[in-house]
């Protein structure tokens, strides 16, 4: 269809008539992208073919490719090009379609998105101009590796094409041969109050302005998609209404963009400006952004606000870089002060001297669970109590899940108990003690590795988790309680009578909070009241209710609401809204989920559904949260030193006591240096 500027249709063509021969040959015709060049020629991309028509809809040529053409893009000279993604496990240089070789050296500051498929995966994106007269693909033009995973948009001005990635717009100059091309970050759409998550169209106009169309999806139950156009152009700063700007350093703009947009659009005094440190990640080091941000903080370059996931918050708080947030919470009557929050989470987050350096909007609980008949009914146990229960199982049984290794148990226990072993405030550690030595001895009872290929050999017979527990083949399983109902799958598998017994620890309950989104305020923040007006957003009922029920909220009212929702039965209804009844005239309840299921003695597959929470089951969740006093802390430097020193223990060349001394020596020195 040709459309006039006022939206009316000037002329329409039926593609099924134009491409009758092609439909007869392929059995279908589907154009996944349509583009036009400077002469008005039309390009219909259908996967491995491109059909080219002139502006009067006469066929000009057809591109035939042995590769999938991922995308079309119009270059700044008005030429339409095909975009090809190539990737795989590659060892050594990359060979391009035109025979050029590149050694994958980064020629500009890195900003890649983590590729999938393993650390050796190499992915390239090339742009091949199309000759509309002949249908031939031209010489391959290279897209800089750092922007390989971004969407490309029409070029113009100084750049061959443009790209959008991680909320920023980039200008790209394509390369040839060994030249990988260059790119430049032009502006951040999020900092211009534009949500570019679903960016449909973007192009540069003759006056240098960038225009585009984006869409957003409603967070309400009725859903719906709304579209908006935008234009970005340079203006004098004196023409922009003044607002106090607060800088937010983050590695994750995706999860917080909506909160930032809403705050900036609604506030006439303040605005949040994002400093995205994920741009410093490299193919070799996906945590380089966090490392750079930490180094800048320690050097005194401190932003107003910090997204804390992956950051050494205890360390930064002990050095005085972060603001204590308890006073802000206590004065916030609308939130309800401390009592308006799920307090165990924040109590676990606070430092040894009672200061709270970060807040979170949601959380999981990481724990271990087992059948109550095997592990007892109380939460929490010691290594000796665990071993006593294990000795009651039949020969050949395992303590934890199939394939659970020394390293997995070491990571779980150390991540859970790290705040008890490391005192950042004092710059000291406490690993050389009987409790930690006992934990190392326990960890060393697990296998060093597991041969999955051998396990799934010719004699393999599937056995569900429920079947293993039913025959006494396993004592406990590692479990993430992500919401009010997620744990019920494991409960069903364990026979319906389960205890959140936790990892074995010397005292208390071996369960830990896993944080979902953390936020901190720097002690040097220019306007702390303004900063709090943004941070408090993440604790409000409105925000946490909009985040869905797949995690557990930290607002007490929303937490209680989620409990009640999980306790409320849901019943089947017909098309007229009438409740469906069983043979006894009772409403038929809808299952909330299923266990793993199993095969009975006759070979029939049996589903194991679960339904709404009973009062007793709801209390189990509440008791688990109330009994949890630790946060799972994934400090790569500290955990790396522990793992390194445990290699000798696992190899049998060092005792647990010797290992504990070595860990104490190295980490006491490391932590002391950081103070």
């Amino acid at each position: 269809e040709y459309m006039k500027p006022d939206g009316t249709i000037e002329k329409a063509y039926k593609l099924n008539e134009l491409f009758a021969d092609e439909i007869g040959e392929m059995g279908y015709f589907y154009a996944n992208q349509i583009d036009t060049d400077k002469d008005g020629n039309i390009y219909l991309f259908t996967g491995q073919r491109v059909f080219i028509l002139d502006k009067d809809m006469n066929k000009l040529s057809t591109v035939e490719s042995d590769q999938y053409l991922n995308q079309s893009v119009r270059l700044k000279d008005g030429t339409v090009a095909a975009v090809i993604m190539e990737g795989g496990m590659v060892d050594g240089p990359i060979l391009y379609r035109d025979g050029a070789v590149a050694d994958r050296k980064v020629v500009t500051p890195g900003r890649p998105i983590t590729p999938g498929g393993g650390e050796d995966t190499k992915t390239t994106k090339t742009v091949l101009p199309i000759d509309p007269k002949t249908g031939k693909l031209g010489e391959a033009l290279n897209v800089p590796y750092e922007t390989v995973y971004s969407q490309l948009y029409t070029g113009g001005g100084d750049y061959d094409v443009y790209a959008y990635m991680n909320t920023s717009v980039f200008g790209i100059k394509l390369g040839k041969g060994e030249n990988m091309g260059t790119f430049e970050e032009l502006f951040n759409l999020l900092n211009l109050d534009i949500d570019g998550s679903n960016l449909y169209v973007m192009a540069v106009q003759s006056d240098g302005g960038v225009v585009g169309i984006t869409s957003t999806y409603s967070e309400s139950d009725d859903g719906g998609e709304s579209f908006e156009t935008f234009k970005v152009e340079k203006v004098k700063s004196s023409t922009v209404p003044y607002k106090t700007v607060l800088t937010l350093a983050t590695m994750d703009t995706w999860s917080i963009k909506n909160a930032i947009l809403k705050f900036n659009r609604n506030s006439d005094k303040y605005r949040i400006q994002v400093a995205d440190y994920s741009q410093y990640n490299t193919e070799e080091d996906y945590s380089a952004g966090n490392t750079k941000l930490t180094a800048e903080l320690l050097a005194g370059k401190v932003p107003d606000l910090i997204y804390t996931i992956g950051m050494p918050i205890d360390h930064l708080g002990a050095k005085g870089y972060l603001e204590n947030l308890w006073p802000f919470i206590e004065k916030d009557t609308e939130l309800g002060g401390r009592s308006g929050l799920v307090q165990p989470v924040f109590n676990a987050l606070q430092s040894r001297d009672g200061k709270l350096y970060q807040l979170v909007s949601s959380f999981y609980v990481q724990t271990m669970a087992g059948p109550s008949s095997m592990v007892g009914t109380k939460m929490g146990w010691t290594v000796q109590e665990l071993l006593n229960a294990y000795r009651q199982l039949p020969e050949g049984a395992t303590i934890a899940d199939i394939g659970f290794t020394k390293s997995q148990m070491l990571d779980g226990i150390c991540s859970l108990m790290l705040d008890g072993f490391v005192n950042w405030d004092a710059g000291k550690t406490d690993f050389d003690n009987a409790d930690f030595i006992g934990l190392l001895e326990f960890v060393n009872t697990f296998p060093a590795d597991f041969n999955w290929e051998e396990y799934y050999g010719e004699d393999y017979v599937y056995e569900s988790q429920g079947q293993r527990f039913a025959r006494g083949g396993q004592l406990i399983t590692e479990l993430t309680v992500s919401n009010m109902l997620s744990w019920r799958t494991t409960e069903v598998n364990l026979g319906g009578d389960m205890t959140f017994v936790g990892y074995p620890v010397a005292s208390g309950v071996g369960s830990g909070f896993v944080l979902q989104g953390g936020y901190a305020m720097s002690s040097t923040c220019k306007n702390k009241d303004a900063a709090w007006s943004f941070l408090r957003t993440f604790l409000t009922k409105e925000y946490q209710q909009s985040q869905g029920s797949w995690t557990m909220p930290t607002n007490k009212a929303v937490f209680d609401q989620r409990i009640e929702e999980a306790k409320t039965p849901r019943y089947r209804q017909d098309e007229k809204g009438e409740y469906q009844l069983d043979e006894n005239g009772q409403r038929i309840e809808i299952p909330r989920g299923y266990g793993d299921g199993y095969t009975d003695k006759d070979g029939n597959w049996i589903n194991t559904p679960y339904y709404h929470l009973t009062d007793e089951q709801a209390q189990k969740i509440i008791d688990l949260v109330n009994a949890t006093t630790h946060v799972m802390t994934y400090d790569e430097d500290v955990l790396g030193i522990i793992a390194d020193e445990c290699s000798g223990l696992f190899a049998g060349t060092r005792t647990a006591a010797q290992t504990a001394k070595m860990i104490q020596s190295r980490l006491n020195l490391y932590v002391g240096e950081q103070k």
Side-chain angles (χ1 to χ4, degrees), residues 432 436-442 444 645-663:
D432 189 8
F436 187 69
I437 293 171
L439 288 175
L440 291 181
E441 291 172 339
F442 168 68
N444 204 31
E645 291 301 330
C646 282
S647 60
L649 171 67
F650 296 164
T653 61
R654 186 183 293 167
T655 67
Q658 291 170 332
T659 302
K661 285 185 181 295
M662 293 301 298
I663 292 173

Side-chain angles (χ1 to χ4, degrees), residues 304-617:
D304 300 293
L305 300 163
I306 303 168
Y307 183 75
T308 61
I309 298 302
M311 297 295 294
I313 293 302
D314 291 339
H315 178 200
L316 296 172
K319 292 183 74 70
Y321 291 111
L322 305 179
E323 188 74 10
N324 179 17
L325 299 178
W326 274 135
F328 295 93
I329 291 172
E330 290 163 350
K331 290 189 296 184
D332 198 319
T333 56
E334 186 178 343
L335 284 177
R338 293 196 186 207
S339 61
L341 306 177
V342 179
Q343 291 190 63
V345 179
F346 295 92
N347 291 340
L349 276 171
Q350 68 184 2
S351 63
R352 291 171 183 258
D353 60 357
K355 294 180 179 178
L356 180 68
Y357 294 121
Q358 63 175 318
L359 55 83
V360 295
S361 59
S362 60
F363 65 96
Y364 301 158
V365 179
Q366 185 78 21
T367 188
M368 287 278 191
S372 302
S373 59
M374 297 182 187
V375 303
T377 57
K378 72 179 182 69
M379 287 186 289
W381 58 353
T382 64
V383 168
Q384 191 57 53
E385 289 172 327
L386 182 154
L387 294 176
N388 289 342
Y390 176 57
R391 293 189 185 103
Q392 305 305 310
L393 299 185
E395 185 177 351
T398 62
I399 291 177
D401 301 278
I402 288 290
F404 209 83
T405 64
K406 299 176 191 288
S407 296
Q408 286 176 278
M409 183 58 78
L410 180 70
D411 286 346
I413 291 180
C414 289
S415 298
L416 172 72
M417 301 302 296
L418 204 57
D419 56 354
F421 297 133
V422 178
N423 185 339
W424 291 104
D425 294 323
K428 295 181 180 180
T429 62
D430 183 23
F431 289 94
D432 189 8
N433 59 65
D435 290 337
F436 187 69
I437 293 171
L439 288 175
L440 291 181
E441 291 172 339
F442 168 68
V443 166
N444 204 31
T445 63
F446 288 81
D449 51 38
F450 190 81
N451 190 329
W452 286 103
E453 185 175 342
E454 182 179 309
Y455 178 74
Y456 289 118
E458 293 182 1
D459 298 330
Y460 172 75
V461 177
Y462 173 75
E463 183 180 40
S464 70
Q465 186 183 67
Q467 289 171 306
R468 280 178 56 78
F469 276 104
R471 67 172 177 82
Q474 183 175 327
L475 180 65
I476 53 176
T477 182
E478 195 171 45
L479 174 62
T480 298
V481 182
S482 58
N483 59 45
M484 307 309 176
L485 287 165
S486 63
W487 60 281
R488 298 290 308 287
T489 293
T490 301
E491 183 190 49
V492 169
N493 293 342
L494 271 60
D497 190 13
M498 184 184 79
T499 301
F500 295 120
V501 70
Y503 294 89
V505 293
S507 61
V509 176
S511 301
F513 293 117
V514 181
L515 310 180
Q516 297 295 298
Y519 312 90
M521 182 193 307
S522 71
S523 55
T524 57
C525 177
K526 297 185 290 289
N527 191 320
K528 293 183 173 61
D529 288 337
W532 177 249
S533 68
F534 174 69
L535 289 184
R536 70 179 305 278
T537 299
F538 301 102
L539 299 180
T540 61
K541 289 174 60 176
E542 179 185 18
Y543 177 81
Q544 295 194 17
Q545 285 171 334
S546 72
Q547 298 306 295
S549 58
W550 49 87
T551 59
M552 292 202 277
T554 58
N555 181 292
K556 184 65 164 56
V558 182
F559 182 91
D560 293 342
Q561 176 187 341
R562 295 277 188 260
I563 288 284
E564 290 305 313
E565 289 172 355
K567 289 170 61 176
T568 304
R570 297 177 182 175
Y571 299 104
R572 297 190 186 279
Q573 295 174 276
D574 59 23
E575 296 179 355
K576 297 180 179 179
E578 300 291 335
Y579 288 109
Q580 296 181 3
L581 306 178
D582 61 18
E583 62 274 11
N584 299 316
Q586 301 297 313
R587 293 177 180 177
I588 301 174
E589 186 174 353
I590 301 172
R592 294 297 187 92
Y594 295 86
D596 288 344
Y598 63 94
T599 303
D600 67 13
K601 61 182 180 180
D602 298 320
N604 300 310
W605 182 255
I606 307 299
N607 280 323
T608 50
Y610 58 82
Y611 299 90
H612 67 281
L613 293 182
T614 64
D615 289 340
E616 181 181 4
Q617 290 165 337

